[in-house]
Amino acid sequence: MITVSVNGVTRQLHASTSVAALIAEMRLAGKRIALERNGKIVPRSAFASEQLFDGDKLEVVVAVGGG
Amino acid sequence: MNENLVIAGKSYSSRLLVGTGKYKDFAETKAAVDASGAEIVTFAIRRSNIGQNPDEPSLLEILPTSQYTLLPNTAGCYTASDAVRTLRLARELLEGHSLVKLEVLGDPQSLYPNVIETVAAAKILADEGFQVMAYASDDPIIAKQLEDIGCVAIMPLASLIGSGMGILNPWNLQLIMERVQVPVIVDAGVGTASDAAIAMELGCDGVLMNTAIAAAQQPVLMAGAMKKAVEAGREAYLAGRMPKKLYSASPSSPMENIIAPTGS
């Protein structure tokens, strides 16, 4: 198991979880989101190939109303 | 004669830009945006809530990029670094879209901009190919620096965000307009239609607002009022107002052929 932080919340995941698998688990697959890992953008095209590592800090964002 | 607003080489017929915050729901957001006639619509970037209803529509479905120029902003950022990270995420979210609104605040009570962090962020973003519309205080020196960095529009405040206090320093806005070549768009502080009209009469290229519409008793009605105010202010600016004077010995009606005074 690995421990990652997703939007400030700690999650336990299997050691070989991909970004795409995490997004699916969050029920965000196919949604308009963007993702940053440890301060760097992970492009959508790399979600399937990018593996998560212990200690990763992820930010998953959406568009919301704002001025 | 009433030319379009051109930002980063793209032409817009509306000079009113609107935000999408503080509405009661997406239906009201969409109705207000449409009543405003705005083509450029700004929105914020926030964490996806874990446990959020995944079937809820997204703002990007309500306001499709095929119909509107969506302008991601950095509202809520207090450092250059956070603003830059937010806009990199926005660019990914919008598939490479580079027109952004940079806003770095300095104080959570007043929401006054931190121009030092704004300038630092603008440099990084310009280097990374973003087209930056920069929100800042109404400081003509900072405005010129932001233009020199490569910002595609300068967006000075009329008064503080959400205050509705109107245009507090028209003289500074004039100093900014005299110094920069890129569009000057008043952003923040407009409270009602006359404030927007005054900004346009001063010669500003556009007005960006959110709360003045969203916090009105009837937002959709106010959105329409703002559309007309911006258009009226622009036309008045182009028409060139008459000079102000304390009084005039030149009445509007002819002086000749007035009827005989009583008793003559």
Side-chain angles (χ1 to χ4, degrees), chain B residues 63-84:
Chain B
L63 300 169
T65 48
S66 53
Q67 283 176 51
Y68 306 90
T69 295
L70 287 181
L71 185 69
N73 65 51
T74 60
C77 290
Y78 285 84
T79 64
S81 162
D82 287 350
V84 169

Side-chain angles (χ1 to χ4, degrees), chain B residues 139-161:
Chain B
D139 179 329
I141 307 305
I142 292 294
K144 184 66 187 144
Q145 284 186 12
L146 288 167
E147 180 182 52
D148 290 345
I149 288 166
C151 291
V152 298
I154 307 301
M155 304 206 290
L157 51 75
S159 47
L160 294 171
I161 293 173

Side-chain angles (χ1 to χ4, degrees), chain A residues 6-9 11 26-28 31-36 39 41-44 59-67, chain B residues 19-21 42-48 50 54-55 58-60 73 75 85 88-89 92-95 101 103 210:
Chain A
V6 183
N7 290 348
V9 178
R11 288 171 87 107
M26 293 172 73
R27 299 174 68 199
L28 291 172
K31 299 282 173 191
R32 296 291 292 269
I33 59 162
L35 187 141
E36 177 196 75
I41 298 290
V42 179
R44 199 178 317 245
E59 295 286 347
V60 184
V61 301
V62 295
V64 302
Chain B
T20 53
T42 186
F43 69 96
I45 301 291
R46 288 293 178 271
R47 284 171 161 176
S48 161
I50 297 154
D55 299 323
S58 124
L59 185 72
L60 299 178
N73 65 51
R85 283 173 57 211
R88 287 176 184 150
L89 282 162
E92 179 63 20
L93 191 64
L94 295 180
E95 281 117 23
K101 170 180 161 177
E103 154 182 348
N210 190 152

